[in-house]
Amino acid sequence: QVQLVESGGGLVKPGGSLRLSCAASGFTFSRYSVTWYRQAPGKWLELVATTYIFNDKYADSVKGRFPISRDNAKNMAYLQMNNLTPEDTAVYYCYANSIWGQGTQVTVSS
């Protein structure tokens, strides 16, 4: 089955960290770029970070805080989220090969 499944979301205090994971199956994961998006309540979908074969790109709002990575041998992508703020609260989605994951909720609150 061709799918992406995110995990790792949760409730964290400001300044804390979380690592999101994206597990791919059913396609040749290594051939595709992987993008993390997020959608906060009442806001548009926002591109957070993209990993290509040779370089990565980040939204200005997360640059330096949210490194993206991947392990092609495991068909996995990751988003390490550091120094979280309440403005990072959103549902986070993984996207690759025209496939969306189901999303994982991240809530940053004291």
Side-chain angles (χ1 to χ4, degrees):
Q1 184 178 1
V2 177
Q3 64 177 359
L4 297 170
V5 179
E6 301 98 334
S7 60
L11 173 64
V12 63
K13 293 182 178 180
S17 297
L18 284 174
R19 189 177 81 153
L20 304 184
S21 299
C22 174
S25 59
F27 64 99
T28 307
F29 179 69
S30 61
R31 293 182 179 177
Y32 298 92
S33 61
V34 179
T35 301
W36 287 95
Y37 290 88
R38 67 185 180 185
Q39 188 165 28
K43 294 189 176 181
W44 297 102
L45 194 66
E46 176 188 19
L47 187 152
V48 177
T50 298
T51 179
Y52 297 100
I53 296 175
F54 298 113
N55 64 313
D56 303 330
K57 293 186 177 181
Y58 297 91
D60 288 342
S61 58
V62 306
K63 199 172 294 183
R65 298 190 298 129
F66 288 13
I68 189 173
S69 62
R70 64 191 299 164
D71 184 338
N72 289 333
K74 296 181 178 178
N75 290 338
M76 295 290 296
Y78 305 97
L79 186 70
Q80 177 65 43
M81 302 190 298
N82 302 314
N83 193 21
L84 285 158
T85 73
E87 288 69 36
D88 296 315
T89 294
V91 178
Y92 285 72
Y93 299 92
C94 179
Y95 176 83
N97 189 24
S98 302
I99 302 163
W100 290 92
Q102 84 287 355
T104 185
Q105 176 71 47
V106 172
T107 303
V108 185
S109 175
S110 55

